Amino acid sequence: EEASAITQDATPPPQVLDLQASSLQGELADGWVSQASGEFSDYWSASHVYDGDPNTGWSTPPRPEAQEEYITVQLSGQSLVDQITFYPTPAYPEFFPIDLDVEISVDGNQWQPVGGLREITTDIFTSHTIRFSPISATYIRTRVLTTYQHPSGNYYCGIGEIEIREVSESPTTIVLGFTAPGDDPGSGFSETYDLRYLTSPITEANF
């Protein structure tokens, strides 16, 4: 009589080291660019800032002197929003605004500041998100207070993409992300994970 057996992997995999938690984002608000302080060319049109394609972008024309620039997104309707994300242009990330403010309006006449960015001079290759308390908006205006000075002496402002998000329909939902480690390596992953949460710090005693 023959017998067969399957060897069970009794070696536990390493601990998870890169656990990340984030809230569930709201939907992107539908809209278009309604105004801008200028554009370098059709290729660098202001409309590219809100076209859903981070590979396109907006650039102002060269300015011999520093000046404030602006770009306004008009939403398709009044929406409750709570965050805006800015992406640099892939071709010229150094053109990303150094200082900017974001203002919200319902009618295009009365504006309310909701946040801003300051001294963005080194971390120019990544996106920057401004979060604020939920507010009704039809227009979102970005005022660029400080622009980049090119070695030629001219000043430029460039933004690859702007994302405006509506308030999440599931604000109490948390999204977890982590790398499932193996012990072999590359295999031997855990079949299940025990996830727990507390409103106070987790210790070995209360886990």
Side-chain angles (χ1 to χ4, degrees), residues 88-104:
T89 62
Y92 299 101
E94 65 273 20
F95 287 10
F96 192 81
I98 296 174
D99 301 300
L100 65 80
D101 283 340
V102 175
E103 300 174 334
I104 299 292

mmCIF file of all heavy atoms in Angstrom, residues 88-104:
data_model
loop_
_atom_site.group_PDB
_atom_site.id
_atom_site.type_symbol
_atom_site.label_atom_id
_atom_site.label_comp_id
_atom_site.label_asym_id
_atom_site.label_seq_id
_atom_site.Cartn_x
_atom_site.Cartn_y
_atom_site.Cartn_z
ATOM 1 N N PRO A 88 3.541 68.016 -11.870
ATOM 2 C CA PRO A 88 4.460 68.780 -12.708
ATOM 3 C C PRO A 88 4.392 68.311 -14.158
ATOM 4 O O PRO A 88 3.890 67.221 -14.448
ATOM 5 C CB PRO A 88 5.837 68.471 -12.102
ATOM 6 C CG PRO A 88 5.673 67.088 -11.529
ATOM 7 C CD PRO A 88 4.246 67.030 -11.026
ATOM 8 N N THR A 89 4.876 69.127 -15.073
ATOM 9 C CA THR A 89 4.962 68.694 -16.464
ATOM 10 C C THR A 89 6.151 67.753 -16.597
ATOM 11 O O THR A 89 7.230 68.024 -16.069
ATOM 12 C CB THR A 89 5.162 69.890 -17.408
ATOM 13 O OG1 THR A 89 6.397 70.536 -17.096
ATOM 14 C CG2 THR A 89 4.030 70.889 -17.266
ATOM 15 N N PRO A 90 5.995 66.607 -17.275
ATOM 16 C CA PRO A 90 7.113 65.670 -17.410
ATOM 17 C C PRO A 90 8.324 66.286 -18.104
ATOM 18 O O PRO A 90 9.469 65.975 -17.783
ATOM 19 C CB PRO A 90 6.514 64.528 -18.243
ATOM 20 C CG PRO A 90 5.044 64.613 -18.008
ATOM 21 C CD PRO A 90 4.749 66.084 -17.867
ATOM 22 N N ALA A 91 8.084 67.184 -19.075
ATOM 23 C CA ALA A 91 9.184 67.757 -19.849
ATOM 24 C C ALA A 91 9.961 68.806 -19.062
ATOM 25 O O ALA A 91 11.192 68.877 -19.158
ATOM 26 C CB ALA A 91 8.649 68.361 -21.146
ATOM 27 N N TYR A 92 9.247 69.603 -18.270
ATOM 28 C CA TYR A 92 9.897 70.697 -17.539
ATOM 29 C C TYR A 92 9.388 70.746 -16.094
ATOM 30 O O TYR A 92 8.682 71.676 -15.712
ATOM 31 C CB TYR A 92 9.640 72.038 -18.234
ATOM 32 C CG TYR A 92 10.171 72.120 -19.637
ATOM 33 C CD1 TYR A 92 9.327 71.970 -20.733
ATOM 34 C CD2 TYR A 92 11.530 72.331 -19.880
ATOM 35 C CE1 TYR A 92 9.810 72.034 -22.023
ATOM 36 C CE2 TYR A 92 12.031 72.393 -21.170
ATOM 37 C CZ TYR A 92 11.167 72.246 -22.234
ATOM 38 O OH TYR A 92 11.652 72.293 -23.519
ATOM 39 N N PRO A 93 9.733 69.766 -15.279
ATOM 40 C CA PRO A 93 9.253 69.764 -13.894
ATOM 41 C C PRO A 93 9.751 70.966 -13.099
ATOM 42 O O PRO A 93 9.114 71.366 -12.120
ATOM 43 C CB PRO A 93 9.787 68.446 -13.334
ATOM 44 C CG PRO A 93 10.959 68.104 -14.204
ATOM 45 C CD PRO A 93 10.599 68.593 -15.565
ATOM 46 N N GLU A 94 10.865 71.540 -13.517
ATOM 47 C CA GLU A 94 11.403 72.691 -12.798
ATOM 48 C C GLU A 94 10.512 73.927 -12.934
ATOM 49 O O GLU A 94 10.641 74.892 -12.173
ATOM 50 C CB GLU A 94 12.828 73.020 -13.274
ATOM 51 C CG GLU A 94 12.948 73.489 -14.716
ATOM 52 C CD GLU A 94 13.100 72.338 -15.700
ATOM 53 O OE1 GLU A 94 12.750 71.192 -15.347
ATOM 54 O OE2 GLU A 94 13.597 72.589 -16.817
ATOM 55 N N PHE A 95 9.587 73.908 -13.914
ATOM 56 C CA PHE A 95 8.659 75.027 -14.090
ATOM 57 C C PHE A 95 7.521 75.011 -13.066
ATOM 58 O O PHE A 95 6.695 75.926 -13.042
ATOM 59 C CB PHE A 95 8.043 74.997 -15.497
ATOM 60 C CG PHE A 95 8.994 75.413 -16.595
ATOM 61 C CD1 PHE A 95 10.338 75.595 -16.364
ATOM 62 C CD2 PHE A 95 8.521 75.608 -17.887
ATOM 63 C CE1 PHE A 95 11.217 75.967 -17.370
ATOM 64 C CE2 PHE A 95 9.384 75.995 -18.916
ATOM 65 C CZ PHE A 95 10.746 76.169 -18.656
ATOM 66 N N PHE A 96 7.468 73.984 -12.227
ATOM 67 C CA PHE A 96 6.386 73.871 -11.248
ATOM 68 C C PHE A 96 6.394 75.096 -10.333
ATOM 69 O O PHE A 96 7.463 75.585 -9.941
ATOM 70 C CB PHE A 96 6.548 72.601 -10.416
ATOM 71 C CG PHE A 96 5.347 72.246 -9.595
ATOM 72 C CD1 PHE A 96 4.278 71.583 -10.169
ATOM 73 C CD2 PHE A 96 5.270 72.586 -8.249
ATOM 74 C CE1 PHE A 96 3.159 71.251 -9.414
ATOM 75 C CE2 PHE A 96 4.164 72.263 -7.491
ATOM 76 C CZ PHE A 96 3.102 71.595 -8.071
ATOM 77 N N PRO A 97 5.210 75.618 -9.979
ATOM 78 C CA PRO A 97 5.151 76.814 -9.129
ATOM 79 C C PRO A 97 5.914 76.646 -7.821
ATOM 80 O O PRO A 97 5.849 75.594 -7.176
ATOM 81 C CB PRO A 97 3.655 76.993 -8.881
ATOM 82 C CG PRO A 97 2.987 76.312 -10.032
ATOM 83 C CD PRO A 97 3.867 75.155 -10.381
ATOM 84 N N ILE A 98 6.587 77.702 -7.417
ATOM 85 C CA ILE A 98 7.301 77.683 -6.144
ATOM 86 C C ILE A 98 6.332 77.963 -4.996
ATOM 87 O O ILE A 98 6.366 77.298 -3.960
ATOM 88 C CB ILE A 98 8.454 78.706 -6.163
ATOM 89 C CG1 ILE A 98 9.489 78.310 -7.233
ATOM 90 C CG2 ILE A 98 9.120 78.792 -4.791
ATOM 91 C CD1 ILE A 98 10.582 79.330 -7.440
ATOM 92 N N ASP A 99 5.466 78.948 -5.198
ATOM 93 C CA ASP A 99 4.436 79.286 -4.212
ATOM 94 C C ASP A 99 3.102 79.450 -4.936
ATOM 95 O O ASP A 99 3.056 80.105 -5.989
ATOM 96 C CB ASP A 99 4.765 80.595 -3.475
ATOM 97 C CG ASP A 99 6.089 80.542 -2.738
ATOM 98 O OD1 ASP A 99 6.248 79.680 -1.850
ATOM 99 O OD2 ASP A 99 6.967 81.364 -3.048
ATOM 100 N N LEU A 100 2.040 78.892 -4.362
ATOM 101 C CA LEU A 100 0.720 79.057 -4.963
ATOM 102 C C LEU A 100 -0.359 79.020 -3.899
ATOM 103 O O LEU A 100 -0.171 78.472 -2.820
ATOM 104 C CB LEU A 100 0.462 77.998 -6.044
ATOM 105 C CG LEU A 100 0.376 76.513 -5.654
ATOM 106 C CD1 LEU A 100 -0.986 76.131 -5.077
ATOM 107 C CD2 LEU A 100 0.663 75.633 -6.871
ATOM 108 N N ASP A 101 -1.487 79.627 -4.229
ATOM 109 C CA ASP A 101 -2.680 79.589 -3.386
ATOM 110 C C ASP A 101 -3.849 79.056 -4.202
ATOM 111 O O ASP A 101 -3.915 79.267 -5.428
ATOM 112 C CB ASP A 101 -3.038 80.980 -2.856
ATOM 113 C CG ASP A 101 -2.144 81.407 -1.710
ATOM 114 O OD1 ASP A 101 -1.516 80.532 -1.072
ATOM 115 O OD2 ASP A 101 -2.063 82.626 -1.446
ATOM 116 N N VAL A 102 -4.782 78.396 -3.526
ATOM 117 C CA VAL A 102 -5.993 77.884 -4.171
ATOM 118 C C VAL A 102 -7.197 78.607 -3.576
ATOM 119 O O VAL A 102 -7.322 78.712 -2.351
ATOM 120 C CB VAL A 102 -6.135 76.366 -3.970
ATOM 121 C CG1 VAL A 102 -7.456 75.867 -4.542
ATOM 122 C CG2 VAL A 102 -4.969 75.633 -4.623
ATOM 123 N N GLU A 103 -8.072 79.085 -4.466
ATOM 124 C CA GLU A 103 -9.272 79.796 -4.051
ATOM 125 C C GLU A 103 -10.506 79.129 -4.659
ATOM 126 O O GLU A 103 -10.444 78.607 -5.779
ATOM 127 C CB GLU A 103 -9.211 81.255 -4.473
ATOM 128 C CG GLU A 103 -8.036 82.011 -3.872
ATOM 129 C CD GLU A 103 -7.912 83.416 -4.415
ATOM 130 O OE1 GLU A 103 -8.362 83.663 -5.554
ATOM 131 O OE2 GLU A 103 -7.341 84.269 -3.707
ATOM 132 N N ILE A 104 -11.598 79.162 -3.922
ATOM 133 C CA ILE A 104 -12.848 78.523 -4.320
ATOM 134 C C ILE A 104 -13.934 79.592 -4.482
ATOM 135 O O ILE A 104 -13.999 80.546 -3.715
ATOM 136 C CB ILE A 104 -13.299 77.500 -3.256
ATOM 137 C CG1 ILE A 104 -12.256 76.393 -3.078
ATOM 138 C CG2 ILE A 104 -14.661 76.908 -3.617
ATOM 139 C CD1 ILE A 104 -12.094 75.464 -4.232
#
